[in-house]
Amino acid sequence: MATALATQLAQIAARSTNPLDLKAQKRAHSKSLLFDQNVAASQDFDTIYQICVEGFQELCLIDKRFMGFARSIFSEQSKTEERTQMTAAQNKELDEVLESFLSLVGARLLLRPALKAVEWLVRRFGVHEHNIICLTLTFLPYHTMPIFATLLSIFPKNIPPALKFLHPYIESLASPPRHTIVHTTIHNPGFFSALNAYVLKASSAGHQYAALVSYWATIMTEAVAGLVDQSMSGRRETQRKNEQDILLRILPLLNEGLSMQQVTDLRIGCYMILTVVASKLDLNEKVLSAMMEAVVTDWTPDTTHAGLICLAVLSQRRQSPHLPKKVLKSVMSIQGIETDLSILSEQYRVDKFVIGLVLGTLEGLDKEVDLYRLTFVRRAIEERLMSNTHIALAVRAIVAAAKNSETALEGDQDLQGQLGDLILRLMDSEIVGSLVQDTIRENKSDVESLEAKLQMVLLPSDKQQDQTTDDVEMNDVNEEPQVQTFESVVDHIPTRTAYEMSLLSHSQSYVYGSLSKAFLLASSSPSDLERFSDLPVLRKSLALSEPFFFSFFVRYWCGPHSAASRASAIRSVRDYLGEQEATSDLQILFPYIIYALADSNTKVRHAASELSLKLATTYSELGDDKKEVPLPILGSDNIYGPNNETKGISWLSTSDASRFVREILLPNLEEIRQDENHIARLLVESLNGTHQSKVLQSPAKGLRNSTKGALLVSLGSHVVHTPIYRVKLRLLSMLNGISKAGGVSKSKALLPLLLVQEKENEKSLTDYCEAEDIDKSRFVDEVVKIVAPNDRDGIRVVQRIIALEDSTPPISLRKAAVRQVRNLLSFSKADVQVSFVASLLSLALTESTLRPDQDIQGDALEILRGASLSVSTIHHLLESMPALPAASGDGPVHSKRRRTSNGHVESHENRPPKGVQHVLRHITTVLELVEASKAATNPILMKELFQVLMDLQKSKVQLGIESGYLQSLVLSSLYKIVEQSKAIAGTQLDRSAVRADIIVESFRTSSNPQVQQAALMLMSSLATVVPELIIHNVMPVFTFMGAGLLRQSDDYSAQIVDQTIDSVIPPLVEALRKQNGGPLAGASELLLSFVAAFEHIPSHRRSGLFYSLIDKLGSEEFLFALLVLLLDRYAESKETRQFIQDFTSQYSPIIQLRTMEKYLEVVIDSLKPKPTISSHFLTLNDGRTRASTVLNLLSMLPNIFRAPRLISKSARLLSNMNENAIQLRQAFSHLVEETLLLAEQVQSYKKLSSACNVMLDALLGLLSLGESINSLDVLLKRGNTNVQRQVLKSLESRIGGESTGNHTAQEACIKFLVELSLILESSSDLLLQHSATSCVDRIIEKYGKKDVEAVGAVMRVVASKKCLGADDSRLRIIALLCLSTSVEVLGEAIIPIIPYALPKAMDHLDATLGGEDVDERTHNAAYSFLGSLLLYVPWIVTGQYLDRVLKTSHESANAGLPTDCNTARKEVLKLIVKQVDPQECFVALLRTWDSAMVEGPNAVSEHLEILELAIERQPKSVVAKQSQLLLNLLLKVFDLRRIQCSPRTAESFKNEEMDDVEKMIDEVAIKMIYKLNDATFRPLFIRILEWATTPTGKKEKQGKVYRQISWYTFLHAFFETLQSIVTSYASFIIEDAVEVLNTISTKNPDSATLLKRVITALASSFEHDQDDFWRAPSHFAAIYPPLLAQLSHGALNKDSPDLIACITALAVAADSPDHHKSLNAAILDHMRSDDAAVRLAAVQCEMRLTGKLGEEWLSLLPEMLPFISELQEDDDERVEREVGKWILQIEGILGESLDSMLL
């Protein structure tokens, strides 16, 4: 494994760039969005910048924001910026600018200018590598466009992990589909964060655009939905954690997105994501409220519509209807909100959102009166934007607001009147009127007080209602409502009651309603309150002797009245106590004062604290505790009525009552006023007796234990017997926080309440709760909390409640009891838990007939699943589990297994009897509980679980019941037990309980993968604990495991298989060793199971699985068996062979070689007439099948031996002289010996013999080179020629791969040369000689320089007739190549061999070229030998050898050989130029020139190329020294045309070939001239001129013409190349040129060619004259007459453009008015020629001169005009047309018309 340092260095190397790697730089530079790769590679940064900056400038015209980048990344300086030369800080700053530009340009990427601008970022700054994420996200909204595929084409191979999803699309250059991007956003956190960061950063910079934001919003919405779906889990804790993780990822994104007020689309996208999150996640109220506040923060009119939709969805997910204040204020500030909500209600549910707005609006009326808000409330109700339930809630809120309106706006009748009008209008509405009236009628008590408040009648009395119904048509719709006053109500109150002694009794009161209405009307007036208190019916004077007076006020302040009126009631009692002296104990007020002290309204708590203070004063007046005077307790006989309700009250002693008030309540009144929950904490800490109380403010030590107990019992009795359920609930919630007070348990004090509620029915309980507007579910929850875990009586009550009996308790109480059991189970004792679990299980298994919302079976089952069950409980569940009915009928299943005589379970086809489903459900539930329980790992449960497993197996066979799930549960539980026993030391399993046969049967007969996996896990676990019980049942497991489980691809199945192998195989092998047949026979069956499943095992599992299997079996003993079985079964599978090669390489070399030794033993054994060991593994029928089997096995061995890992491991092992190295050598020697024996055995079988040779070659490759060579002596002597050839070939290959620094190999190779010499001399086998020569060649190449003498000795043999002189071409070729190699090694020592070797090589080369078919290999080998000689001993190849090489090369050049042959020849010729002495080279070229001409143009071309190269390579001094020799050579070369054309034959060069050759000749001559100075060259020039102008003989005039053609062709190139430098040389050729111009005849084609070459040569001289050479009169006067005379030659008409160009060049060079006049006169003379062609040429010449010289030439216009006039009427149309053009040309230059000048 690579070290950390190596890994870091590799990472640095991958990221670094090599400035010297030009190819890499070129590839990087060719990455382009606009241009093809080849075009881009050829562009420089100046060109790129010019193109890209044009696009950038166009962008600036479109959007001015781009102009800021003109000074940075698009400045001129940016062309020279190199990121590799910048610091990290500079690169970071550059990245900021680049990413800013990319985010801005993203909106315009479909425009061509934008792509040009981005092109600059790619080419100059490499954003596709350094800013690849930003660049990708910029283009991502256009991922369906072709431009995105273009972008992918320039991406580097290594891209960030966030973009790894693009890998397949980069390779295919295809655009990724949308679903791929969504999937990546879900599963790739890096891409999720990058996408969000990019969009937010672009938006914050103001660079966002609609396409980007909308694309982001849709992708993120789908991604968030996918994330939520992915987080779903069966475990509540896991799911909650997943949801929290999602919120942590999403909420910061939403907060930042919603904070961008100006980015409308981004906010709307955030709303979409919020909607998805709220719809799919179970969020708490706090999170939902925060989301709603975030929605309304900084929203704008453009985002309110989408925001309202989001708020509506969020509201639907909230439990509380009340909206956060910030949300309410923001929404209600929207003009026309009711209209918006009405529109939204057509598509979305807005009822919860609207009710929240309504409630918030009504609650805010006490601070601000807003008629618009009241209008909104009315429209929301009238337009039914809410459900009926919410409308009723809104109506009750309106009523409550009207009642409490005086809280802040006392006397504000306007608000009260508006609310009253609103109520009346809603009641009269045709749409919701009936619903509003029903709601108000249900809250009649509130309405009565409201009527008094508003002084109007909202609901008529029953009598009035009847009258109204009868006379409805006679009512005046405008009649004012009747107003009730305090006086009118008091008048109807009776003066006394007949039987009522207390208004807290459980019987119905006939006077309380009138009294409460009167009190409500009087509560706002002190005088009316006083009158009310003095009413006779209240019997105020008897208030201290009978409870009626106090009971009214108590009932009132505990009722659903306004806070002000309730506070007035409390103060009325306070005032009374202040007026009267206490004569009785008033502890009857304690529970109700405590109730008031916990009121949510501050006024009520203040009034209650004042009453408590007054009560404390009253008790203090009674005296010291020690002098207690017994006082009668007020209402002790009849407070709750005359029946048992009052008798059940436990009263405090006066001293205890006084102590409670003075020590508990009085010191803490101030805190109670501030906090409504303080009284509850005070009671709990006071009665629980906390030593360090944080609540009690009294300095006293606290209540005595007796007082605590008495107080708890007293308060508990009031809770039980008070008729007011509000009081019950509030006090019960306080007392449930107390466990025990003064030795009295809470359960004992409060259990009667549970008994009372048990006897209630659901309807009455519902009526009580609804009447007092309390939550029924909360009430029953508090009731069942009375029962504590140690309260057996209470537990029995709870069990009775949840049990299904005839006297069914309220369903809500039963559900609460079931929920309470969850808390009781964890703390109950064992027997109690068993009882509870039995009850819950019975309840869970009973089919429910209740509505879904009343179903408690599901609750019971959920509690069971979540409970922590004890071992005894689980044991009881298993023991009491019902058995499945027998197949024959109704009898139970017998405990013993029924078996047939075969030992198989009897099978029946009968259908399952009735009731089986219920039993299965019971069993399933119990087994699920057992499997999930942590306590189910106790070994004592094994027996019962095995019994259950046996019963399930029996039911499956007998009844046909598929119980795979149940079996897997039992097996899983058993597995946990066994694993736990292994984890805890000392744990012993009951061996008699273990039934391995049942496990195997379950595995064998089940088709369920889960059952098979569980059975294997259990079997493997048991194998490590009780192997002796498992071993006899294990083989069927592996048989069926191969057919099923091995084929699974999941990790869990693989883990099970590995665990099974680890646990089961070792004891199995140990058992097999004890058998008589040995382990191989038994193991073959085991291995065959795995081999049969090989092709079905997932490929990534195979290696680990089989390695684990062989590791446990023993690799040295069983690895070969696995290989043989695999190859025998999958003979043609390449995949299997590759697996075997990779698999065996995991083992050490010793194990591999020993395995191969046993493997070969199987092969050899299979060839015997009666095989032994191979019969266990191979199927051997006839001889043909046996041969194919053996061939298949042998073909695998070379792959194993050639495995790089085996070779490297062997080398490392042999480098250490230890025991392992000795073992490896021994194993290798044995293997070689067996291989040779096998090779001899199968010599008659061609294929088998060939396979053995291949295997031997591979096997020998295992050795180091030194050891291989040392072993060759034995092998070469023992083996036949085939073996010898294989050995030599192997050695040759090995030598090529060895390093030259291996001294051991070097010595062995040099010594081996002697053996090779003997083979070459003694052997007559050509193939063996060839192999030996190849081996010699490789040794010399690798190690020859280490011993030159040895090399020389062997090379004499190679150069002899045995090799180089052999008749076989292959042997000659390898000999030539070997000689070529040896030249470098021997150097001058090769000289003794040259006399024979070089002529022989040339003979072979000549023979090759002389035959009909050219032997290309011999040709190339011979040239290779010649090249080596020229390279290392060039002085040998001179004289006749050199001439022969050149002549043979001429012949080769003309032979039409392939490219490789031509390349080999040309390389040798180049070496001649490079290595041979210059003079020798030039002389040889001169001597062999005739040979080149004879062979043809190709040979001449190569000859000239050599000459040119030779001249180029030599310095000027050498060329100057050899100038005469070179001149002679050039003269012969220049004479080529004459020789070829005098006379012309079929073998002569064609004109095109001649022209090409002369072009090369001119180039060679020019190259030579470059090397000479003027002093040296001028004589040579004159000599060449003389040679060209002197006839070769008196009759060879035509020969002179050919030489002159070559000469003037050269002069043209001479003047064109050297230009003005050599203009003066024209003085030598004037005479000859004039002679040619004057005397040449154009009738002869060769003469015409000469004339043309003269004209072109003169033209070149004229054009490049910068020294006024031709301006000189002598030169000008000599040349221009004969030159212009050529215009009159009719034969030159076709070449007149060249002549005219020459005349024009002469006019320009001879820049003189006199010369121009002479030229003009001569030309004008030709205009009067009789030949129209001559006249035409003259006119064209004048036009060319006019165009070239302009006004300077037109100074001669007066002389031209007469001729122009004549030519205007010329007989030839062409002449007239050209003259017209000439006139127009003149007019264009002069700027005036010639009409006036022409006659």
Side-chain angles (χ1 to χ4, degrees), residues 25 100 140 144 210 232 238 291 336 484 528 582 663 696 721 821 865 935 961 1083 1138 1212 1267 1296 1467 1510 1735 1747 1763:
Q25 292 184 7
S100 176
L140 196 60
T144 58
M232 296 301 177
T238 302
M291 287 182 175
Q484 290 185 328
D528 291 342
E663 296 182 8
L696 292 174
H721 295 289
V821 170
R865 288 172 176 169
I961 299 174
Q1138 184 62 43
R1212 287 195 298 269
E1267 294 192 13
E1467 291 297 326
R1735 296 196 301 273
F1763 294 91

Side-chain angles (χ1 to χ4, degrees), residues 1336-1342 1344-1345 1351 1355 1374-1387 1390 1424-1425 1428 1432:
V1336 169
D1337 180 50
R1338 188 58 58 91
I1339 292 175
I1340 293 173
E1341 180 183 3
K1342 204 75 175 181
K1345 293 182 179 180
V1351 173
M1355 288 313 301
I1374 192 63
L1376 286 170
L1377 295 175
C1378 186
L1379 284 168
S1380 176
T1381 305
S1382 67
V1383 172
E1384 177 184 2
V1385 175
L1386 296 174
I1390 195 70
S1424 177
F1425 177 48
S1428 296
Y1432 297 105

Side-chain angles (χ1 to χ4, degrees), residues 244-299:
Q244 291 175 354
D245 294 340
I246 292 174
L247 290 177
L248 291 175
R249 291 177 62 183
I250 296 174
L251 289 183
L253 160 69
L254 297 178
N255 286 335
E256 188 172 354
L258 291 173
S259 65
M260 299 182 189
Q261 179 180 359
Q262 72 281 7
V263 189
T264 301
D265 293 339
L266 184 65
R267 288 184 65 91
I268 294 175
C270 293
Y271 293 161
M272 293 168 59
I273 298 173
L274 273 176
T275 303
V276 172
V277 172
S279 300
K280 288 184 169 287
L281 291 182
D282 185 15
L283 304 176
N284 57 43
E285 296 289 309
K286 185 175 181 181
V287 175
L288 289 171
S289 298
M291 287 182 175
M292 297 179 76
E293 291 180 351
V295 170
V296 301
T297 301
D298 297 330
W299 66 356

Side-chain angles (χ1 to χ4, degrees), residues 332-363:
M332 293 308 298
S333 64
I334 300 174
Q335 295 296 325
I337 181 61
E338 61 274 11
T339 304
D340 294 339
L341 292 174
S342 178
I343 296 173
L344 290 180
S345 65
E346 297 176 0
Q347 297 179 339
Y348 308 94
R349 287 192 60 185
V350 297
D351 49 344
K352 279 195 175 183
F353 182 43
V354 175
I355 187 60
L357 295 174
V358 170
L359 296 178
T361 298
L362 294 173
E363 290 174 356

Side-chain angles (χ1 to χ4, degrees), residues 1650-1784:
L1650 174 58
L1651 181 60
K1652 185 176 180 180
R1653 298 293 172 85
V1654 171
I1655 291 173
T1656 55
L1658 289 173
S1660 298
S1661 178
F1662 296 155
E1663 288 175 2
H1664 301 295
D1665 179 15
Q1666 296 181 4
D1667 301 325
D1668 295 336
F1669 175 84
W1670 292 107
R1671 191 176 182 181
S1674 59
H1675 300 154
F1676 177 77
I1679 198 64
Y1680 90 88
L1683 182 61
L1684 267 66
Q1686 302 306 314
L1687 291 174
S1688 61
H1689 292 173
L1692 283 177
N1693 288 340
K1694 60 181 181 180
D1695 298 321
S1696 59
D1698 293 335
L1699 177 60
I1700 293 171
C1702 182
I1703 296 172
T1704 304
L1706 177 60
V1708 174
D1711 186 14
S1712 169
D1714 294 337
H1715 295 336
H1716 287 174
K1717 188 173 182 179
S1718 301
L1719 289 173
N1720 184 47
I1723 296 171
L1724 292 178
D1725 288 343
H1726 287 88
M1727 289 184 180
R1728 290 177 177 170
S1729 173
D1730 293 336
D1731 191 349
V1734 176
R1735 296 196 301 273
L1736 179 62
V1739 172
Q1740 291 175 343
C1741 186
E1742 285 285 357
M1743 289 178 62
R1744 177 71 68 87
L1745 290 167
T1746 302
K1748 187 69 175 178
L1749 298 176
E1751 294 182 359
E1752 182 181 355
W1753 184 257
L1754 290 180
S1755 64
L1756 304 172
L1757 182 59
E1759 300 174 5
M1760 303 176 192
L1761 290 176
F1763 294 91
I1764 295 174
S1765 298
E1766 293 176 6
L1767 293 175
Q1768 279 182 313
E1769 298 177 359
D1770 195 90
D1771 296 336
D1772 192 287
E1773 293 181 358
R1774 295 179 300 165
V1775 175
E1776 286 186 0
R1777 187 165 54 250
E1778 290 300 318
V1779 169
K1781 294 180 181 179
W1782 185 22
I1783 294 172
L1784 293 176

Side-chain angles (χ1 to χ4, degrees), residues 131-142:
N131 309 90
I132 185 171
I133 293 181
C134 181
L135 182 65
T136 303
L137 296 175
T138 302
F139 279 75
L140 196 60
Y142 310 98

Side-chain angles (χ1 to χ4, degrees), residues 187-417:
H187 297 88
N188 190 332
F191 180 77
F192 181 95
S193 302
L195 177 59
N196 293 326
Y198 175 84
V199 174
L200 292 175
K201 187 175 181 180
S203 300
S204 63
H207 296 172
Q208 79 286 346
Y209 53 98
L212 173 65
V213 179
S214 61
Y215 180 81
W216 168 82
T218 54
I219 291 294
M220 289 304 301
T221 302
E222 293 182 45
V224 170
L227 283 171
V228 176
D229 294 339
Q230 189 183 13
S231 70
M232 296 301 177
S233 174
R235 296 179 62 86
R236 182 175 300 174
E237 296 79 4
T238 302
Q239 181 169 342
R240 187 172 298 279
K241 182 179 181 300
N242 293 339
E243 292 176 353
Q244 291 175 354
D245 294 340
I246 292 174
L247 290 177
L248 291 175
R249 291 177 62 183
I250 296 174
L251 289 183
L253 160 69
L254 297 178
N255 286 335
E256 188 172 354
L258 291 173
S259 65
M260 299 182 189
Q261 179 180 359
Q262 72 281 7
V263 189
T264 301
D265 293 339
L266 184 65
R267 288 184 65 91
I268 294 175
C270 293
Y271 293 161
M272 293 168 59
I273 298 173
L274 273 176
T275 303
V276 172
V277 172
S279 300
K280 288 184 169 287
L281 291 182
D282 185 15
L283 304 176
N284 57 43
E285 296 289 309
K286 185 175 181 181
V287 175
L288 289 171
S289 298
M291 287 182 175
M292 297 179 76
E293 291 180 351
V295 170
V296 301
T297 301
D298 297 330
W299 66 356
T300 63
D302 295 332
T303 59
T304 51
H305 180 76
L308 289 174
I309 297 174
C310 184
L311 290 175
V313 174
L314 294 173
S315 298
Q316 292 299 129
R317 303 292 295 173
R318 299 178 78 244
Q319 299 296 326
S320 173
H322 295 277
L323 298 178
K325 293 181 180 179
K326 184 176 181 180
V327 176
L328 176 66
K329 182 177 180 181
S330 299
V331 174
M332 293 308 298
S333 64
I334 300 174
Q335 295 296 325
I337 181 61
E338 61 274 11
T339 304
D340 294 339
L341 292 174
S342 178
I343 296 173
L344 290 180
S345 65
E346 297 176 0
Q347 297 179 339
Y348 308 94
R349 287 192 60 185
V350 297
D351 49 344
K352 279 195 175 183
F353 182 43
V354 175
I355 187 60
L357 295 174
V358 170
L359 296 178
T361 298
L362 294 173
E363 290 174 356
L365 290 176
D366 59 343
K367 299 179 182 178
E368 180 181 4
V369 181
D370 191 344
L371 297 178
Y372 170 75
R373 294 192 174 192
L374 290 178
T375 303
F376 165 77
V377 173
R378 175 180 58 79
R379 289 191 59 181
I381 297 175
E382 288 181 344
E383 294 180 10
R384 300 187 71 88
L385 299 180
M386 302 173 285
S387 62
N388 290 345
T389 303
H390 290 146
I391 292 177
L393 180 60
V395 172
R396 287 196 292 269
I398 295 172
V399 173
K403 289 172 55 180
N404 297 329
S405 59
E406 81 282 357
T407 308
L409 303 172
E410 296 182 358
D412 189 354
Q413 298 299 322
D414 185 43
L415 175 59
Q416 295 174 358

